[in-house]
Amino acid sequence: MAATTSLKLPEHLKEKVAGLASGVAQTPHAYMVEAISQKVERDEKRQAFLRSAQESIRDFKRTGIAYRHEDVERWLLAKLAGKRVRKPKPIKIARGKR
């Protein structure tokens, strides 16, 4: 169920929204709803990415297992070029070398 919310926009922004919305055959309301939805989705993805990165760091600190940058770069470039290539092998980094 939709809830009503009011936004107080500066006049110049309100005018921009109205102009852009008509240019894409939307009402200003639909334009703003879509813009907010896209921002929320982008921020949710960013938060998930950061959580994943924090989890990866915890795993690395716990296990010491990582991949060499050069190996990953070589693999990625080959994949982008459409080549069939084996995934790089993980390595164990000694405690003193982190």
Side-chain angles (χ1 to χ4, degrees):
M1 179 174 189
T4 301
T5 300
S6 65
L7 295 172
K8 293 185 180 190
L9 301 176
E11 194 59 39
H12 72 279
L13 182 57
K14 186 176 178 180
E15 290 169 4
K16 285 182 180 184
V17 167
L20 291 168
S22 69
V24 292
Q26 284 184 311
T27 64
H29 173 82
Y31 187 88
M32 289 185 285
V33 169
E34 184 177 335
I36 292 169
S37 294
Q38 289 174 357
K39 173 73 168 142
V40 167
E41 184 177 340
R42 186 172 56 243
D43 287 348
E44 286 175 339
K45 286 180 181 179
R46 181 177 291 118
Q47 288 175 359
F49 175 77
L50 292 173
R51 281 192 304 273
S52 176
Q54 290 168 340
E55 184 179 329
S56 293
I57 290 170
R58 281 192 300 276
D59 287 347
F60 171 72
K61 287 180 178 178
R62 183 176 48 79
T63 66
I65 296 174
Y67 293 88
R68 285 190 180 91
H69 175 266
E70 301 81 18
D71 296 342
V72 173
E73 183 179 33
R74 193 176 309 110
W75 173 80
L76 181 58
L77 292 173
K79 290 292 277 183
L80 290 172
K83 297 178 182 174
R84 293 187 73 184
V85 61
R86 288 188 177 176
K87 290 183 181 180
K89 293 186 179 185
I91 59 170
K92 178 110 175 158
I93 298 176
R95 284 207 176 270
K97 295 184 181 181
R98 283 190 245 167

